[in-house]
Amino acid sequence: INLGKSTPWIAKQEDGLKNAVRWNQDGFYSAGNVVYNGTLFYRALGQVFPGIPLSERQFWENIQTEPIVYTGEVLNPVSLSSTTLKGLVIESGSENGLSRKGFLLATHPTPDFGSEGVIEILATRELEDGSFEADTSELLADRKYFYKAFGFSMDGQLAFGSVLSFRTPQANNSP
């Protein structure tokens, strides 16, 4: 995909962003043009000449969108009672980032907030690439677990990643 100046960007139509283009610092933009910088969407407030960064508030406004998070595979190996879950923030939805992110873990395939048997595990490590991790503990042996990443934007919007699963190994009860 060519994401150079004035290349149409496939954006979320429900947000009114279907005509967004990939932002290029060398570009010229007219009032109302929407650009995407790889993380967030911005709208030109007037004519924007080449070289004006997105941080210049008199020229650009950040467009709030829903956050997007991705659920990653567990880091192997899964031990008898613990593992590490991985997630990734694809889009935070605003310049302020996410207020809370982590995982929902359950032994049934629908881990949701408020559901019986669901454990919320907050991210304990955040990496520069937007990924985050959390360690689980006290898992039961030979059990299938279901989990999904979540993220709350600063303005309270909630996003979920896909539900994935893993199985803990059987306990070795040999003498």
Side-chain angles (χ1 to χ4, degrees):
I1 293 177
N2 174 10
L3 294 178
K5 181 168 50 176
S6 299
T7 300
W9 180 259
I10 299 170
K12 297 180 280 186
Q13 187 168 355
E14 66 272 14
D15 290 331
L17 305 175
K18 67 179 182 173
N19 295 319
V21 296
R22 180 75 173 182
W23 180 69
N24 183 319
Q25 185 166 333
D26 297 325
F28 176 86
Y29 301 98
S30 299
N33 286 158
V34 176
V35 299
Y36 180 72
N37 72 349
T39 307
L40 299 170
F41 290 92
Y42 294 86
R43 179 178 293 113
L45 298 174
Q47 287 189 338
V48 181
F49 296 96
I52 297 178
L54 294 170
S55 60
E56 295 291 329
R57 292 291 152 243
Q58 68 266 33
F59 296 99
W60 297 102
E61 70 175 335
N62 175 235
I63 301 171
Q64 305 292 312
T65 61
E66 291 182 19
I68 301 172
V69 296
Y70 169 81
T71 305
E73 297 290 333
V74 296
L75 296 181
N76 287 324
V78 174
S79 77
L80 188 60
S81 64
S82 68
T83 192
T84 299
L85 305 176
K86 280 192 71 96
L88 177 67
V89 177
I90 304 293
E91 185 174 313
S92 65
S94 75
E95 292 176 311
N96 298 325
L98 298 178
S99 61
R100 193 169 98 210
K101 60 186 158 236
F103 303 89
L104 297 178
L105 177 72
T107 55
H108 56 80
T110 55
D112 286 311
F113 283 107
S115 295
E116 187 173 332
V118 174
I119 300 167
E120 178 183 340
I121 304 169
L122 294 178
T124 54
R125 288 178 300 284
E126 297 182 33
L127 306 171
E128 289 183 22
D129 65 357
S131 63
F132 56 95
E133 299 175 353
D135 297 320
T136 63
S137 62
E138 301 180 23
L139 301 176
L140 301 175
D142 194 28
R143 195 64 68 92
K144 187 171 187 176
Y145 287 90
F146 298 87
Y147 67 100
K148 65 182 173 183
F150 72 86
F152 279 98
S153 68
M154 292 299 226
D155 57 352
Q157 294 191 50
L158 172 62
F160 289 110
S162 299
V163 176
L164 299 180
S165 66
F166 65 91
R167 181 172 286 282
T168 52
Q170 291 182 344
N172 185 356
N173 294 330
S174 61

PDB file of all heavy atoms in Angstrom, residues 40-52:
ATOM      1  N   LEU A  40      -3.284   8.498  15.193  1.00  0.00           N
ATOM      2  CA  LEU A  40      -4.463   9.310  15.468  1.00  0.00           C
ATOM      3  C   LEU A  40      -4.929  10.053  14.221  1.00  0.00           C
ATOM      4  O   LEU A  40      -4.171  10.231  13.270  1.00  0.00           O
ATOM      5  CB  LEU A  40      -4.151  10.335  16.567  1.00  0.00           C
ATOM      6  CG  LEU A  40      -3.733   9.765  17.918  1.00  0.00           C
ATOM      7  CD1 LEU A  40      -3.234  10.876  18.825  1.00  0.00           C
ATOM      8  CD2 LEU A  40      -4.878   9.014  18.576  1.00  0.00           C
ATOM      9  N   PHE A  41      -6.193  10.510  14.260  1.00  0.00           N
ATOM     10  CA  PHE A  41      -6.770  11.291  13.175  1.00  0.00           C
ATOM     11  C   PHE A  41      -6.802  12.768  13.572  1.00  0.00           C
ATOM     12  O   PHE A  41      -7.056  13.110  14.726  1.00  0.00           O
ATOM     13  CB  PHE A  41      -8.208  10.828  12.880  1.00  0.00           C
ATOM     14  CG  PHE A  41      -8.268   9.475  12.244  1.00  0.00           C
ATOM     15  CD1 PHE A  41      -8.394   8.335  13.007  1.00  0.00           C
ATOM     16  CD2 PHE A  41      -8.205   9.337  10.862  1.00  0.00           C
ATOM     17  CE1 PHE A  41      -8.453   7.082  12.425  1.00  0.00           C
ATOM     18  CE2 PHE A  41      -8.267   8.095  10.265  1.00  0.00           C
ATOM     19  CZ  PHE A  41      -8.390   6.966  11.048  1.00  0.00           C
ATOM     20  N   TYR A  42      -6.556  13.631  12.587  1.00  0.00           N
ATOM     21  CA  TYR A  42      -6.579  15.077  12.798  1.00  0.00           C
ATOM     22  C   TYR A  42      -7.336  15.736  11.646  1.00  0.00           C
ATOM     23  O   TYR A  42      -7.317  15.247  10.522  1.00  0.00           O
ATOM     24  CB  TYR A  42      -5.155  15.653  12.841  1.00  0.00           C
ATOM     25  CG  TYR A  42      -4.356  15.194  14.013  1.00  0.00           C
ATOM     26  CD1 TYR A  42      -3.648  13.995  13.970  1.00  0.00           C
ATOM     27  CD2 TYR A  42      -4.313  15.938  15.184  1.00  0.00           C
ATOM     28  CE1 TYR A  42      -2.912  13.561  15.057  1.00  0.00           C
ATOM     29  CE2 TYR A  42      -3.583  15.515  16.273  1.00  0.00           C
ATOM     30  CZ  TYR A  42      -2.889  14.320  16.207  1.00  0.00           C
ATOM     31  OH  TYR A  42      -2.165  13.894  17.290  1.00  0.00           O
ATOM     32  N   ARG A  43      -7.969  16.889  11.942  1.00  0.00           N
ATOM     33  CA  ARG A  43      -8.683  17.674  10.927  1.00  0.00           C
ATOM     34  C   ARG A  43      -8.021  19.044  10.831  1.00  0.00           C
ATOM     35  O   ARG A  43      -7.750  19.683  11.851  1.00  0.00           O
ATOM     36  CB  ARG A  43     -10.149  17.838  11.303  1.00  0.00           C
ATOM     37  CG  ARG A  43     -10.949  18.676  10.288  1.00  0.00           C
ATOM     38  CD  ARG A  43     -12.427  18.787  10.640  1.00  0.00           C
ATOM     39  NE  ARG A  43     -13.060  17.479  10.522  1.00  0.00           N
ATOM     40  CZ  ARG A  43     -13.550  16.766  11.549  1.00  0.00           C
ATOM     41  NH1 ARG A  43     -13.488  17.252  12.762  1.00  0.00           N
ATOM     42  NH2 ARG A  43     -14.112  15.602  11.357  1.00  0.00           N
ATOM     43  N   ALA A  44      -7.773  19.469   9.575  1.00  0.00           N
ATOM     44  CA  ALA A  44      -7.194  20.793   9.351  1.00  0.00           C
ATOM     45  C   ALA A  44      -8.244  21.852   9.645  1.00  0.00           C
ATOM     46  O   ALA A  44      -9.383  21.766   9.183  1.00  0.00           O
ATOM     47  CB  ALA A  44      -6.701  20.909   7.907  1.00  0.00           C
ATOM     48  N   LEU A  45      -7.889  22.858  10.427  1.00  0.00           N
ATOM     49  CA  LEU A  45      -8.823  23.921  10.798  1.00  0.00           C
ATOM     50  C   LEU A  45      -8.849  25.050   9.767  1.00  0.00           C
ATOM     51  O   LEU A  45      -9.761  25.860   9.764  1.00  0.00           O
ATOM     52  CB  LEU A  45      -8.453  24.482  12.178  1.00  0.00           C
ATOM     53  CG  LEU A  45      -8.527  23.470  13.315  1.00  0.00           C
ATOM     54  CD1 LEU A  45      -8.002  24.094  14.607  1.00  0.00           C
ATOM     55  CD2 LEU A  45      -9.954  22.970  13.500  1.00  0.00           C
ATOM     56  N   GLY A  46      -7.872  25.088   8.926  1.00  0.00           N
ATOM     57  CA  GLY A  46      -7.750  26.095   7.867  1.00  0.00           C
ATOM     58  C   GLY A  46      -6.683  25.618   6.909  1.00  0.00           C
ATOM     59  O   GLY A  46      -6.338  24.436   6.904  1.00  0.00           O
ATOM     60  N   GLN A  47      -6.151  26.512   6.118  1.00  0.00           N
ATOM     61  CA  GLN A  47      -5.075  26.118   5.224  1.00  0.00           C
ATOM     62  C   GLN A  47      -3.830  25.771   6.040  1.00  0.00           C
ATOM     63  O   GLN A  47      -3.448  26.517   6.941  1.00  0.00           O
ATOM     64  CB  GLN A  47      -4.749  27.226   4.233  1.00  0.00           C
ATOM     65  CG  GLN A  47      -5.796  27.381   3.163  1.00  0.00           C
ATOM     66  CD  GLN A  47      -5.336  28.346   2.081  1.00  0.00           C
ATOM     67  OE1 GLN A  47      -4.467  29.174   2.293  1.00  0.00           O
ATOM     68  NE2 GLN A  47      -5.949  28.224   0.919  1.00  0.00           N
ATOM     69  N   VAL A  48      -3.246  24.629   5.722  1.00  0.00           N
ATOM     70  CA  VAL A  48      -2.043  24.178   6.413  1.00  0.00           C
ATOM     71  C   VAL A  48      -0.949  24.029   5.370  1.00  0.00           C
ATOM     72  O   VAL A  48      -1.080  23.255   4.424  1.00  0.00           O
ATOM     73  CB  VAL A  48      -2.270  22.841   7.147  1.00  0.00           C
ATOM     74  CG1 VAL A  48      -1.012  22.411   7.865  1.00  0.00           C
ATOM     75  CG2 VAL A  48      -3.440  22.951   8.128  1.00  0.00           C
ATOM     76  N   PHE A  49       0.116  24.783   5.549  1.00  0.00           N
ATOM     77  CA  PHE A  49       1.217  24.776   4.601  1.00  0.00           C
ATOM     78  C   PHE A  49       2.226  23.699   4.972  1.00  0.00           C
ATOM     79  O   PHE A  49       2.291  23.262   6.124  1.00  0.00           O
ATOM     80  CB  PHE A  49       1.873  26.162   4.566  1.00  0.00           C
ATOM     81  CG  PHE A  49       0.941  27.217   4.050  1.00  0.00           C
ATOM     82  CD1 PHE A  49       0.215  28.016   4.927  1.00  0.00           C
ATOM     83  CD2 PHE A  49       0.760  27.387   2.681  1.00  0.00           C
ATOM     84  CE1 PHE A  49      -0.670  28.973   4.459  1.00  0.00           C
ATOM     85  CE2 PHE A  49      -0.119  28.352   2.199  1.00  0.00           C
ATOM     86  CZ  PHE A  49      -0.840  29.139   3.088  1.00  0.00           C
ATOM     87  N   PRO A  50       3.033  23.267   4.020  1.00  0.00           N
ATOM     88  CA  PRO A  50       4.049  22.241   4.292  1.00  0.00           C
ATOM     89  C   PRO A  50       4.932  22.615   5.477  1.00  0.00           C
ATOM     90  O   PRO A  50       5.267  23.776   5.677  1.00  0.00           O
ATOM     91  CB  PRO A  50       4.854  22.197   2.988  1.00  0.00           C
ATOM     92  CG  PRO A  50       3.893  22.642   1.939  1.00  0.00           C
ATOM     93  CD  PRO A  50       3.038  23.688   2.611  1.00  0.00           C
ATOM     94  N   GLY A  51       5.273  21.601   6.267  1.00  0.00           N
ATOM     95  CA  GLY A  51       6.181  21.792   7.392  1.00  0.00           C
ATOM     96  C   GLY A  51       5.509  22.084   8.715  1.00  0.00           C
ATOM     97  O   GLY A  51       6.170  22.156   9.742  1.00  0.00           O
ATOM     98  N   ILE A  52       4.178  22.261   8.732  1.00  0.00           N
ATOM     99  CA  ILE A  52       3.489  22.553   9.997  1.00  0.00           C
ATOM    100  C   ILE A  52       3.108  21.237  10.664  1.00  0.00           C
ATOM    101  O   ILE A  52       2.350  20.450  10.110  1.00  0.00           O
ATOM    102  CB  ILE A  52       2.242  23.433   9.772  1.00  0.00           C
ATOM    103  CG1 ILE A  52       2.675  24.789   9.213  1.00  0.00           C
ATOM    104  CG2 ILE A  52       1.457  23.592  11.068  1.00  0.00           C
ATOM    105  CD1 ILE A  52       1.547  25.726   8.893  1.00  0.00           C
TER     106      ILE A  52
END
